[in-house]
């Protein structure tokens, strides 16, 4: 992500960080349920990519247990400050970083959770490829939003578009090109949830 794009993202979300969750008071149960699709086990290592105020950190910690690792990464300092103010550091480490350039080794994670993430990646191929790099083969990626595509478009006064990166016709090949295989796709009013599995690396000749 270019420095100019990073600044634009930080300005957008930084200005909205305070009171962000007050705008969406009914979302937490949907976050709790969505983390279940990752198939996490005690001791697993999970990344919340673009964690915002950290609404997924507590359910992720519950699933990996005290011996697991939960890491919340976000580009916006104000969002991480809100997460810390809400005490969510007790569930996982909060790290200021670009999802497209993660400070993690290859295959470091068993799974990745991304709420509202893919629509905000300026180059989704780069971001998804980086998430694949840090995920072990057969690890899972969950792309979640507490509203489906149609409901979200309506809330912004827009028409639903097949150009949306979350449209299945766009998302499936995008995932395939970046090291993932789409295994389930739900797009209904109360949630969007696409789950992909990290494909094994193909040997080079």
């Amino acid at each position: 992500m270019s420095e100019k794009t990073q600044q634009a993202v930080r300005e957008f979300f930084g200005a909205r960080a305070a009171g962000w969750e007050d705008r969406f008071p009914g979302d937490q149960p949907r976050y709790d349920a969505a983390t279940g699709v990752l198939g996490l086990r005690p001791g697993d290592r999970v990344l919340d990519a673009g964690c915002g105020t950290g609404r997924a950190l507590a359910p992720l910690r519950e699933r990996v247990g005290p011996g697991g690792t939960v890491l919340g990464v976000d580009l916006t300092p104000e969002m991480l400050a809100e997460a810390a103010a809400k005490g969510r550091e007790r569930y996982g480490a909060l790290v200021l970083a670009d999802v497209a350039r993660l400070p993690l080794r290859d295959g470091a994670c068993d799974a990745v959770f991304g709420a509202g993430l893919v629509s905000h990646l300026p180059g989704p191929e780069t971001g998804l490829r980086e998430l694949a790099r840090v995920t072990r083969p057969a690890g899972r990626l969950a792309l979640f939003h507490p509203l489906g595509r149609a409901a979200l478009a309506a809330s912004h006064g827009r028409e639903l578009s097949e150009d949306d990166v979350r449209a299945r016709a766009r998302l499936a090949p995008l995932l395939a090109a970046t090291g993932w295989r789409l295994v389930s796709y739900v797009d209904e009013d109360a949630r969007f949830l696409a789950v992909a599995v990290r494909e094994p690396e193909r040997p080079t000749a």
Side-chain angles (χ1 to χ4, degrees):
M1 190 183 298
S2 71
E3 186 174 336
K4 183 177 180 180
T5 302
Q6 284 187 359
Q7 186 60 31
V9 170
R10 284 177 170 145
E11 288 176 359
F12 179 87
F13 285 104
R16 293 162 175 79
W20 177 263
E21 291 184 36
D22 297 336
R23 301 169 57 197
F24 315 103
D27 285 355
Q28 190 60 52
R30 300 177 194 178
Y31 275 78
D32 297 348
T35 62
V37 303
L38 290 172
L40 293 168
R41 297 170 296 182
D44 275 353
R45 303 157 298 176
V46 60
L47 168 67
D48 185 356
C51 67
T53 57
R55 283 173 289 183
L57 297 180
L60 291 172
R61 170 56 66 192
E62 184 177 352
R63 295 182 187 283
V64 303
T69 299
V70 178
L71 181 64
V73 170
D74 203 274
L75 187 63
T76 306
E78 293 88 346
M79 283 290 191
L80 294 177
E82 281 289 303
K86 294 178 183 300
R88 288 171 177 155
E89 281 181 306
R90 66 181 181 271
Y91 303 119
L94 301 174
V95 177
L96 182 67
D98 184 353
V99 167
R101 296 181 64 186
L102 291 165
L104 297 171
R105 62 177 173 78
D106 294 358
C109 302
D110 295 295
V112 177
F113 185 80
L117 175 69
V118 69
S119 298
H120 294 288
L121 293 173
E125 297 89 349
T126 302
L128 291 170
R129 191 171 288 113
E130 177 68 349
L131 294 179
R133 181 188 69 79
V134 302
T135 304
R136 64 166 175 79
R140 288 194 160 203
L141 167 69
L143 298 174
F144 167 71
H145 198 286
L147 289 176
R149 294 173 55 241
L152 184 61
S155 74
H156 291 295
R158 298 196 302 259
E159 295 290 328
L160 183 62
S161 171
E162 288 306 305
D163 289 335
D164 178 2
V165 70
R166 297 186 305 156
R168 185 169 191 154
R170 277 203 66 194
L171 185 61
L174 177 61
L175 288 166
T178 54
W180 301 97
R181 175 172 52 87
L182 184 67
V183 294
S184 70
Y185 182 94
V186 176
D187 182 14
E188 54 196 22
D189 282 350
R191 66 170 176 163
F192 173 89
L193 186 58
V195 181
V197 171
R198 176 70 168 97
E199 294 279 54
E201 295 286 350
R202 293 186 177 90
T204 56

